[in-house]
Amino acid sequence: MSPFTGSAARTCDWQHLRCEVADGVATVTLARPEKLNALTFGAYADLRDLLAELSREGSVRALVLAGEGRGFCSGGDVDEIIGATLSMDTAQLLDFNRMTGQVVRAVRECPFPVIAAVHGVAAGAGAVLALAADFRVADPSARFAFLFTRVGLSGGDMGAAYLLPRVVGLGHATRLLMLGEPVRAPEAERIGLISELADEGDADEAAQRLARRLAEGPALAYAQTKALLTAELDMPLAASVELDASTQALLMTGEDYAEFHAAFTEKRAPKWRGR
């Protein structure tokens, strides 16, 4: 995402979530615990816009996406979204579905690692938000459910049919997207849907530990690694190795690469600057 901004100042008041930034780590918390953090039109839009602002700002090196209360996110609010969409025309429905996809693209395209801290339910759109993250840290209470077919819609919602096979394989993805059955933490870890299984009640803190580790590391190297992982999903090998070569050549001119050599020579830890 481009770092260049227009006249508008950074948004300080987000109505549908909380955002706190400290020491390079942004913690974004879905904050409707009485509704299991069910998403509304405004929540989708806030996530889309917040990720764009943080990407342009440049001070965030890692982001934790969490849910307040008993679960991570139960998906789209049945009344405020499903009920409302029944009265929309095709153009309005297309605008809405494009917006949800923009959120997933923002998670994948932001220049810092995103860690989903999952406890309790991650269902529907909540499961896809976790799927889009670079890491999924979950405790044993976590359960993922891609519920779209259960409401009469395609399981390929918000990019799920693109992302899920690449994370867990086509066979598991077919089962999860078609049947919409919940996957509890032990199975989710077995099939690769969970990056780290935390202790009971420790998902948020485990995600913060990982975020701090990432924030202290070579941010530019992480950003380029994330960009290549996304870009090369659909590339032939020849294009991939050429893109890798170009990226490495650019990074070899950076301060962090020189800093590693200096630190190695002086027998000290590198002081990463993300440049």
Side-chain angles (χ1 to χ4, degrees), residues 71-146:
F72 176 72
C73 176
S74 59
D77 188 287
V78 173
D79 295 321
E80 295 194 36
I81 287 187
I82 297 179
T85 53
L86 293 175
S87 62
M88 289 183 176
D89 61 29
T90 303
Q92 291 171 316
L93 291 169
L94 185 55
D95 283 342
F96 164 63
N97 283 284
R98 282 175 171 162
M99 177 175 68
T100 66
Q102 288 165 358
V103 176
V104 170
R105 286 189 59 186
V107 174
R108 292 303 316 146
E109 294 173 5
C110 63
F112 41 76
V114 176
I115 305 151
V118 182
H119 69 285
V121 66
V128 183
L129 286 178
L131 174 65
D134 302 288
F135 300 89
R136 284 157 296 284
V137 177
D139 77 9
S141 73
R143 60 190 187 278
F144 300 82
F146 298 87

Side-chain angles (χ1 to χ4, degrees), residues 156-181:
D157 193 71
M158 296 172 61
Y162 178 89
L163 292 170
L164 193 58
R166 290 163 169 80
V167 173
V168 303
L170 180 60
H172 290 305
T174 300
R175 172 172 59 93
L176 299 182
L177 293 183
M178 282 196 179
L179 300 180
E181 295 176 345

Side-chain angles (χ1 to χ4, degrees), residues 236-255:
L237 178 60
S240 294
V241 296
E242 179 62 24
L243 182 58
D244 287 352
S246 300
T247 301
Q248 295 295 53
L250 288 172
L251 289 176
M252 285 175 177
T253 68
E255 293 181 22

Side-chain angles (χ1 to χ4, degrees), residues 24-265:
V25 175
T27 302
V28 178
T29 306
L30 305 175
R32 292 184 79 205
E34 73 284 359
K35 294 275 192 174
L36 274 174
N37 301 315
L39 298 168
T40 62
F41 296 115
Y44 279 115
D46 271 4
L47 280 170
R48 176 200 61 196
D49 295 347
L50 172 62
L51 286 164
E53 287 197 14
L54 293 177
S55 296
R56 289 192 298 267
E57 186 181 87
S59 64
V60 171
R61 293 186 168 216
L63 183 146
V64 174
L65 180 61
E68 182 179 335
R70 296 180 294 116
F72 176 72
C73 176
S74 59
D77 188 287
V78 173
D79 295 321
E80 295 194 36
I81 287 187
I82 297 179
T85 53
L86 293 175
S87 62
M88 289 183 176
D89 61 29
T90 303
Q92 291 171 316
L93 291 169
L94 185 55
D95 283 342
F96 164 63
N97 283 284
R98 282 175 171 162
M99 177 175 68
T100 66
Q102 288 165 358
V103 176
V104 170
R105 286 189 59 186
V107 174
R108 292 303 316 146
E109 294 173 5
C110 63
F112 41 76
V114 176
I115 305 151
V118 182
H119 69 285
V121 66
V128 183
L129 286 178
L131 174 65
D134 302 288
F135 300 89
R136 284 157 296 284
V137 177
D139 77 9
S141 73
R143 60 190 187 278
F144 300 82
F146 298 87
L147 298 174
F148 306 108
T149 59
R150 294 198 169 194
V151 302
L153 297 176
S154 164
D157 193 71
M158 296 172 61
Y162 178 89
L163 292 170
L164 193 58
R166 290 163 169 80
V167 173
V168 303
L170 180 60
H172 290 305
T174 300
R175 172 172 59 93
L176 299 182
L177 293 183
M178 282 196 179
L179 300 180
E181 295 176 345
V183 180
R184 297 187 179 276
E187 183 186 3
E189 182 185 33
R190 178 178 64 80
I191 66 176
L193 186 54
I194 288 177
S195 311
E196 177 185 343
L197 185 59
D199 294 333
E200 186 71 44
D202 194 40
D204 285 352
E205 182 51 42
Q208 290 289 337
R209 288 194 295 269
L210 176 56
R212 289 192 293 271
R213 174 183 172 184
L214 291 164
E216 292 168 359
L220 185 57
Y222 292 154
Q224 293 306 308
T225 301
K226 176 173 180 172
L228 292 180
L229 284 167
T230 298
E232 293 182 19
L233 285 172
D234 299 311
M235 282 186 180
L237 178 60
S240 294
V241 296
E242 179 62 24
L243 182 58
D244 287 352
S246 300
T247 301
Q248 295 295 53
L250 288 172
L251 289 176
M252 285 175 177
T253 68
E255 293 181 22
D256 280 353
Y257 187 66
E259 167 61 13
F260 165 78
H261 185 263
F264 181 84
T265 302

